[in-house]
Structure formats: structure tokens, C-alpha cells
Amino acid sequence: MDLFERFVTLWVVIDPIGTIPVFIAVTAAMTAPERRKTALLAAAVSAAVLLFFLVFGQLLIDGLGISLLSFQVAGGIVLFLFALTMIFGESKPESDKHAADADAELAQKPSPAVFPLAVPSLASPGAMLAIVLLTDNNTVSIPDQAITAVVMLVVLVFAYLCMQAAGPIIRAIGNSGAAIVSRVMGMILASVAADLVIGAALEIAKTGSL
């Protein structure tokens, strides 16, 4: 997978634009300095979570004795289902805001920078899975994994900048515009997921084994 494909895949699963309405919803009562601090913390926590999966995700797969092709097929299916929820279900802004509303009933709720901004908005299940697939130790060299890590951090920097510019952006595109963007990203993610499954199926057919 080339650099552009990696960037597009991570952009789609992290979805910086889709996080903007969530950020606005959970920081509405905050001052400007508090919003800046929340945006920075959300980006930092999501980076730490995804870097954890980048470093240890493969070890977990190997420890369970799961072949890469099996994981790639399963991962592609999960990403495809995740994409379908983006296309046909509630958009990411809507679903994440509902999660935040449900959590608001808890007496001891986590910081909004951690939930729902860092997890599951930025470091979504789809993003965790994608980062493992993009950094497989059996097929991807350490320098390439480092490049993927840099690309991931670049996408998170974009997410941080989008949160910083949340006010003007949401006024320009509105909640409906953000929902449309999220659905378009879902179509792209579905294509990426299909490519993962087809690639694994062709490899299995060629080698005759997992």
C-alpha cells in the first residue's frame, strides 16, 4: 500500500471532519482556553491509543496464533460493516453525540477529551483495526511501519486543527454537511475493506493455505 492509500485509509477511519460536531457539542460550555486544552488532550490520547495498537497489535495476533490472511479477511469484513454504519446508519457526529449524552447521566464521567473525542471518535474501532493491518510485521518493514505512524500522526494533527477551527467549519458546512462528509468517507472505507478481503482471497487461492 503506497503512501497516499495509507493516508486515505487513516483519514477515513479517523475522520477528522466528522469529529467537529462532536467537539462542538461536548465543549459548548467551555471557555476558549479550555476548548484548546481539550482538543490537544483528545489528539494526544487518540495518538497514544493508536500507537499502542501499532506496536502491540501484531504481538496479540501472533500470541493467539491467528494467521495474517485470516485477520485480513476478518478485518476487511469488520471495516466493511463499520463503513455500512457510516453510510446507512447514524452518521459519526450523530452517534458519538448520542454516546456523549448517555454518558452525561453518569456521576463520575470521564473527560470529554477522552470520551467521546479520543475514543471512540478519533481512535475508533475501525482506526485500531486499520492500524494493525497497515503495520503487519510479516509483510511490512519497520521503516514502512514508521512511515505509517507518521502518516497517522499527520492525520491526527489535521484532526486537532479541525477541532481548533470547529466554529467556522461547522458554520460553513453545518451538521448536515458533516453528516454527508461522513457518509462519503464510509463509501471510501467500504472500497478499502473490499480490497482487503479480495487481496486476502487471491493470496489464499494462490498459495492454497492460510
Side-chain angles (χ1 to χ4, degrees), residues 108-124:
Q108 306 237 335
K109 58 179 182 291
S111 164
V114 177
F115 177 87
L117 286 173
V119 181
S121 191
L122 293 172
S124 65

Side-chain angles (χ1 to χ4, degrees):
M1 186 175 287
D2 63 27
L3 187 62
F4 179 72
E5 288 177 323
R6 276 181 274 189
F7 178 82
V8 169
T9 299
L10 291 172
W11 180 275
V12 168
V13 294
I14 293 173
D15 193 9
I17 301 297
T19 301
I20 294 172
V22 185
F23 178 80
I24 290 175
V26 300
T27 61
M30 295 183 182
T31 63
E34 288 173 335
R35 283 195 294 270
R36 286 193 292 270
K37 181 180 178 181
T38 299
L40 181 60
L41 182 58
V45 170
S46 56
V49 170
L50 293 178
L51 285 172
F52 174 86
F53 275 88
L54 187 150
V55 174
F56 296 107
Q58 184 68 39
L59 297 177
L60 178 61
I61 294 171
D62 291 342
L64 293 173
I66 302 170
S67 74
L68 174 65
L69 291 176
S70 297
F71 188 79
Q72 186 170 328
V73 171
I77 292 171
V78 171
L79 285 178
F80 186 78
L81 294 174
F82 181 72
L84 290 182
T85 65
M86 293 174 69
I87 298 169
F88 296 111
E90 286 185 326
S91 67
K92 178 178 175 180
E94 293 165 344
S95 62
D96 286 351
K97 282 193 286 186
H98 287 174
D101 291 340
D103 187 67
E105 301 298 323
L106 297 177
Q108 306 237 335
K109 58 179 182 291
S111 164
V114 177
F115 177 87
L117 286 173
V119 181
S121 191
L122 293 172
S124 65
M128 297 173 194
L129 185 57
I131 204 70
V132 172
L133 291 174
L134 290 173
T135 56
D136 170 52
N137 293 333
N138 297 317
T139 58
V140 182
S141 66
I142 297 299
D144 265 353
Q145 292 184 36
I147 291 172
T148 298
V150 171
V151 171
M152 180 198 73
L153 293 174
V154 168
V155 173
L156 288 174
V157 168
F158 274 110
Y160 169 72
L161 295 176
C162 285
M163 287 186 285
Q164 290 287 52
I169 291 175
I170 204 64
R171 282 195 295 271
I173 68 174
N175 281 328
S176 297
I180 291 171
V181 169
S182 183
R183 283 171 168 79
V184 172
M185 294 295 100
M187 284 295 297
I188 296 173
L189 181 58
S191 301
V192 171
D195 186 64
L196 285 172
V197 174
I198 292 170
L202 290 174
E203 186 64 26
I204 292 170
K206 183 170 68 175
T207 61
S209 66
L210 293 174

